[in-house]
Amino acid sequence: MRRNQWMSGLVIGLGVGTVASAAVAAQALPAAVKAHVADMRTNCKDAGGRPGRSPELVQIADVTGDGRADYVINEGAFDCVGAESYFSGGSGGASVSVYVSDATGSAKQAFTHGVSGIHLERSGQAARVWLGVGGPLCGQKQFRSRAEAEDCWRPLQWKGGKLDFAPVSQKRPYSAFATP
């Protein structure tokens, strides 16, 4: 998952399975998304690393249902060569941020959280974002240690102009999106 593909600065050239349309893939990133990625690159260098190839770092899909491209940044997919653990997040997982677009083409950060994984369930250009989480976010009331915490996938939902976790009743077992 640690790859990076850059074209003309920070214009994304997305690979197979990351976007439904070549037209969406060719567009420039909004300023807020560019700034987020630039900060990551700077932090990587400051930690003694070198930004590498990370084509799954930014995924483009309509997550709000308004027909506009939104941007999902999975910091766990950022390849910081020489400081690989910097963006992994440790036991709290890597950070995932979602930027939603407005009618002007600008985007604002609508959600960020530490996660153990990310899966985009695509339907055309639309996508539902599923995040790997654990413990209370899976509805678990009690556990003594992280090792006893339940892991699950929780979807995000756009409701009332806000992006947040959907009700815990919509969770899926962690094996639902397992990769071999």
Side-chain angles (χ1 to χ4, degrees), residues 34-161:
K34 286 182 186 179
H36 188 123
V37 173
D39 285 347
M40 291 178 65
R41 293 174 63 81
T42 298
N43 290 338
C44 173
K45 291 174 187 175
D46 290 349
R50 178 183 49 80
R53 294 181 32 86
S54 307
E56 293 184 19
L57 173 62
V58 179
Q59 295 192 47
I60 302 172
D62 176 12
V63 299
T64 61
D66 62 4
R68 295 186 199 104
D70 301 308
Y71 305 86
V72 181
I73 299 176
N74 176 9
E75 292 190 6
F78 185 69
D79 187 11
C80 182
V81 179
E84 286 80 2
S85 65
Y86 188 83
F87 292 98
S88 70
S91 65
S95 182
V96 167
S97 298
V98 180
Y99 287 80
V100 298
S101 296
D102 62 24
T104 69
S106 295
K108 67 177 180 174
Q109 188 174 8
F111 180 88
T112 191
H113 205 281
V115 302
S116 59
I118 179 172
H119 176 78
L120 267 63
E121 189 172 56
R122 294 182 179 274
S123 176
Q125 288 188 346
R128 188 155 202 203
V129 179
W130 290 84
L131 301 177
V133 295
L137 287 172
C138 295
Q140 189 175 10
K141 303 284 186 221
Q142 296 180 355
F143 55 96
R144 291 182 293 228
S145 70
R146 177 67 183 113
E148 293 178 357
E150 173 189 358
D151 292 323
C152 70
W153 292 97
R154 285 277 301 275
L156 296 180
Q157 71 177 8
W158 181 255
K159 187 175 180 181

